[in-house]
């Protein structure tokens, strides 16, 4: 069994102040939650947090407090923190009416429920880039239809992620973001879950709702979900670089996962606290292009 944080369908939170690691994950048996309360090295919880051991039991919600295991605890909803986001969907019936109907083939297509008018108009404006997801039309039940791609985690997790590959993926991702910015579009939510790979192995950016953002990839100036700019997308690209290096390994403070040279300088530039100090998209592309790997 692969470690729980390596599952493609998992969400991880680490509360460094209280030594809590929280993981929500999904298998073919359902959705589950595990909470670890750090008991230090040598304890079950401490060893799992430090990647020395895997969880003792899958397909059950667990509380692991030091060496104590409590089974079948209530599973808090991961999306409780985003409660303010719920119910803000817009009526997109007029926009959907303009799209052609596509007969969905699950082997060739994936579908998504549209939430915002701007999402559809943005997707239509972005049909010119091979690194941005291509909207084909709508399904008979009014879902958006796209060519099937492979989620980033599934594509990269089992591969030997050489520096040459990581550099190539980052350059493609930056090209996609550069295209969005050329269209006046700030993505806001660049992260591993919103990166796909097409049949040719090309990086494809998805989820163009351009509405909310993941806290783990959020620049300081955007806390409160405001002040999104090209510079905040650059900040998020630093997180994507980290993701390409480590896939779904959780960001926790008890272990430092350092992005290896020469990518460390790129990450540092992207994560400058002051947005004016971050490279532009063009500068970031050049930084990556000249890296010797």
């Amino acid at each position: 069994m692969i470690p729980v944080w390596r599952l493609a369908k998992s969400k991880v939170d680490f509360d460094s102040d209280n030594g809590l690691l929280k993981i929500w994950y999904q298998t073919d048996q359902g959705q589950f939650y595990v909470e670890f309360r750090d008991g230090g090295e040598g304890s079950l919880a401490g060893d799992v947090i430090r990647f020395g051991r895997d969880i003792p039991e899958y397909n059950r919600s667990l509380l692991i407090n030091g060496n104590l295991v409590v089974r079948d605890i209530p599973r808090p909803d991961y999306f409780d923190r985003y409660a303010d986001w719920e119910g803000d969907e817009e009526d997109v019936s007029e926009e959907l009416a303009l799209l052609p109907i596509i007969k969905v083939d699950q082997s060739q297509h994936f579908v998504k429920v549209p939430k915002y008018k701007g999402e559809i108009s943005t997707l239509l404006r972005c049909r010119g880039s091979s690194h941005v997801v291509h909207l084909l039309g709508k399904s008979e039940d009014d879902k958006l239809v796209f060519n099937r791609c492979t989620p980033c985690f599934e594509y990269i997790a089992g591969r030997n992620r050489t520096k040459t590959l990581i550099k190539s993926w980052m350059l493609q991702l930056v090209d996609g973001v550069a295209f969005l910015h050329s269209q006046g579009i700030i993505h806001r939510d660049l992260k591993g879950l919103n990166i796909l790979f097409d049949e040719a192995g090309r990086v494809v950016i998805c989820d163009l709702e351009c509405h909310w953002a993941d806290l783990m990839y959020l620049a300081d100036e955007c806390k409160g979900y405001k002040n999104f700019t090209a510079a905040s997308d650059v900040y998020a690209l630093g997180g994507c670089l980290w993701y390409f290096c480590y896939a779904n390994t959780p960001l926790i403070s008890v272990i430092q996962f350092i992005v290896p040279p020469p990518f460390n300088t790129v990450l540092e530039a992207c994560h400058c606290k002051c947005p004016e100090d971050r490279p532009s998209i063009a500068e970031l592309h050049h930084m990556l292009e000249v890296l010797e790997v």
Side-chain angles (χ1 to χ4, degrees), residues 72-84:
D72 300 322
I73 65 171
R75 178 178 61 84
D77 187 351
Y78 176 78
F79 296 100
D80 279 350
R81 74 178 65 192
Y82 305 122
D84 291 343

Side-chain angles (χ1 to χ4, degrees), residues 15 21 26-27 34 36-37 49 74 111 124 127 130-131 154 157 164 210 213-214 245 250 259 262 275-276 282:
D15 180 350
L21 176 66
Q26 181 174 322
T27 70
V34 186
F36 305 89
R37 299 181 182 178
I49 289 174
V111 298
L124 292 174
R127 284 178 162 175
S130 60
H131 296 302
E154 292 181 21
T164 300
C210 304
D214 191 307
C245 292
V259 170
E276 290 78 12

Side-chain angles (χ1 to χ4, degrees), residues 71-262:
R71 292 171 173 82
D72 300 322
I73 65 171
R75 178 178 61 84
D77 187 351
Y78 176 78
F79 296 100
D80 279 350
R81 74 178 65 192
Y82 305 122
D84 291 343
W85 300 13
E86 300 301 322
D88 68 340
E89 296 87 351
E90 298 173 348
D91 181 0
V92 296
S93 55
E94 291 185 9
E95 288 72 19
L96 285 171
L98 300 176
L99 299 178
I101 295 177
I102 304 296
K103 186 175 181 179
V104 176
D105 180 340
Q106 296 293 339
S107 67
Q108 299 181 26
H109 304 124
F110 74 91
V111 298
K112 177 186 183 298
V113 176
K115 294 180 67 176
Y116 309 109
K117 295 180 179 181
E119 176 184 9
I120 297 175
S121 63
T122 296
L123 285 165
L124 292 174
R125 287 160 58 193
C126 291
R127 284 178 162 175
S129 173
S130 60
H131 296 302
V132 179
V133 70
H134 183 79
L135 176 63
L136 300 175
K138 65 178 179 181
S139 63
E140 293 181 350
D141 58 350
D142 283 341
K143 295 177 182 176
L144 304 180
V145 181
F146 308 88
N147 287 319
R148 178 163 289 281
C149 293
T150 303
C152 181
F153 175 81
E154 292 181 21
Y155 188 86
I156 72 175
R159 295 176 182 269
N160 179 19
R161 295 189 293 279
T162 65
K163 292 181 179 181
T164 300
L165 267 179
I166 292 170
K167 175 180 175 177
S168 173
W169 294 338
M170 278 302 297
L171 282 169
Q172 293 177 61
L173 180 59
V174 170
D175 281 342
V177 176
F179 178 83
L180 293 177
H181 290 183
S182 75
Q183 301 298 308
I185 298 164
I186 306 300
H187 189 285
R188 297 190 178 201
D189 199 19
L190 293 164
K191 59 183 179 181
L193 289 176
N194 288 337
I195 300 171
L196 308 172
F197 284 82
D198 67 12
E199 288 185 339
R202 291 176 299 199
V203 170
V204 178
I205 299 168
C206 67
D207 194 355
L208 296 182
E209 292 178 358
C210 304
H211 216 72
W212 298 107
D214 191 307
L215 294 173
M216 290 185 66
Y217 292 77
L218 195 63
D220 285 347
E221 70 271 12
C222 299
K223 299 295 171 66
Y225 302 102
K226 56 185 179 180
N227 303 322
F228 289 97
T229 64
S232 59
D233 272 357
V234 168
Y235 184 94
L237 284 169
C240 294
L241 171 59
W242 190 95
Y243 193 92
F244 283 150
C245 292
Y246 292 109
N248 209 34
T249 301
L251 284 162
I252 63 177
S253 63
V254 294
I255 297 180
Q256 296 297 316
F257 292 93
I258 306 300
V259 170

